[in-house]
Amino acid sequence: MKQSSKGNNEIYRWQVLCVDDEPSILRSLRRLLPKQYYEVFIAESGQAGLEILKQQTIDLVISDMRMPLMSGAEFLEQVATLYPDTVRILLTGYADIDSTIKAVNRGRIHRYVQKPWDTDDLLSSLEQEMESKRLKLENIKLMSLVEAQNEELKELNSALEEKVQQRTEQIRKTLIDLQRSHQQVKEQVRAIIRVFYNLLSLKGTQGSQYSHEVSQLCLLIAKRFELSDFECMNIKLSGLLSEVGVLCLNDQISHKPQYYMNAEELVAYKKHAELAFKAMSPVVHLSSIALSVLHQFDRFDGKDNSSSLSGENIPLGARILAVARDYIYAIRGVSADLRYSAEGAAQLLMQKSDIIYDPDIINHLIQVIPDLHIEHLERNEKVVSTPKLESGMKLSRDVLTASNLLLLPEGHVMTWQTIKRIQSYVESSNEVLRIYVYSSQEDEVNATIN
């Protein structure tokens, strides 16, 4: 892959190897691939292709299936072993699906395309594969940055109270200096929030992945009340920064899924609300946000609340945050090892209305869910062991092996053939597969009754 810049945009020029024993096919592929995006190498046999791979860093290989001496499947199998990061595409000119499936499995092929190909479809497939590769490369760069930031965060945690106080004092002084201009103050506050949010994103906890969705839902609910735009925005920001105190927790707690925590660990985890309050409350323009974050775990009935607040004495922002946070966590599988549908998550929260949550806010939640433009499951999830698989069950997640190979894709509807295949795999590999499927209507009726 070669990179060049044009204006503010980076242009990737991918190196592609085309392998086919028919020169006319190779010429067609060379003409087809735009020169500004692809540098094309050609080989008339699998062995010649392997020689080129020794000399060039190839991003993508397109190989014909039927070639003398070494078939496309054999060639791509060697490519997968020697150059696993190279994208592999198979051209097949015959409809023998069994041979194609074997080729796909042996060469761990990313796609196969039948000849004669449709030009637009082929170009679109290449663009998709290269976009996926580009994202993976950028993810590697981001992970390096995350590791560097995590090292910095470890140092921060070693002297937490002192450093939080120092950072808060710096923010306070900055805001005092900017009081001469209201617009400058607003811009500075936004910058501070972005820093908190970026650091939280780099921390990479389960909850922080969905803080943007929590803030979006907070805003939708807040707009149902007679609040000013400023108050609505502060409630939205409380959702965005609801887990900022997690920055101050050790990795053993912050990265452990909530549904695996014991009672003691949950208490330690919820301390992040107090830590966030200490960090934000000295900043005048963040004080209402800090209060919402501090009281986000207060129960509506007041039981076990360290603040001694209950009912409407709990800040409105905190009551909205509690509902928005737990709804998003339910549909995203943060608070439990299963994800809920929109209806299932709403029913889950309704069961605790007037106990954990403000019933008025629960009613508003139900009204705004259609306006929450995020992906929802069609039904609740459940985990099924392989012996209990039944025809007609629909997968809610990919079925992956321990080595992360895809057995069945999300959305697949189980048949007796696929059940037999999965059970045979488990029996031969001695692996235990967690298979996530959508609940049936009967399951959801029983859950509602219970």
Side-chain angles (χ1 to χ4, degrees), residues 206-224:
Q206 275 192 303
S208 65
Q209 298 176 46
Y210 305 111
S211 57
H212 183 73
E213 293 178 356
V214 173
S215 70
Q216 181 184 350
L217 183 52
C218 280
L219 180 61
L220 289 173
I221 297 174
K223 286 182 175 180
R224 304 277 298 183

Side-chain angles (χ1 to χ4, degrees), residues 1-3 12-18 29-30 33-42 52 56-62 130:
M1 176 190 66
K2 298 178 180 179
Q3 292 178 251
Y12 290 82
R13 189 162 185 253
W14 305 100
Q15 294 183 301
V16 179
L17 172 61
C18 300
L29 289 170
R30 187 189 288 275
L33 300 179
K35 293 182 179 180
Q36 66 268 36
Y37 300 120
Y38 302 101
E39 181 179 0
V40 180
F41 299 85
I42 61 173
I52 291 175
Q56 300 289 337
T57 300
I58 299 297
D59 299 296
L60 181 145
V61 172
I62 304 174
M130 292 300 93

Side-chain angles (χ1 to χ4, degrees), residues 197 199-213 240 242-244 246 254-255 269 329 334:
Y197 178 70
L199 288 174
L200 189 58
S201 298
L202 290 173
K203 185 77 170 178
T205 63
Q206 275 192 303
S208 65
Q209 298 176 46
Y210 305 111
S211 57
H212 183 73
E213 293 178 356
L240 194 66
S242 60
E243 288 215 350
V244 72
V246 174
S254 63
H255 285 89
Y269 167 76
Y329 284 8
V334 175

Side-chain angles (χ1 to χ4, degrees), residues 189-200:
V189 171
R190 289 171 183 164
I192 294 167
I193 291 168
R194 284 196 298 271
V195 169
F196 277 133
Y197 178 70
N198 289 340
L199 288 174
L200 189 58

Side-chain angles (χ1 to χ4, degrees), residues 163-180 185 188-189 192 196 278-286:
K163 290 188 177 183
V164 167
Q165 189 62 37
Q166 290 174 352
R167 184 70 65 186
T168 303
E169 182 64 19
Q170 291 172 2
I171 293 172
R172 188 187 67 80
K173 289 180 179 179
T174 300
L175 290 175
I176 291 174
D177 292 339
L178 293 174
Q179 283 178 349
R180 291 171 299 174
V185 170
Q188 187 63 27
V189 171
I192 294 167
F196 277 133
K278 290 179 181 178
M280 291 190 290
S281 58
V283 183
V284 174
H285 294 277
L286 297 179

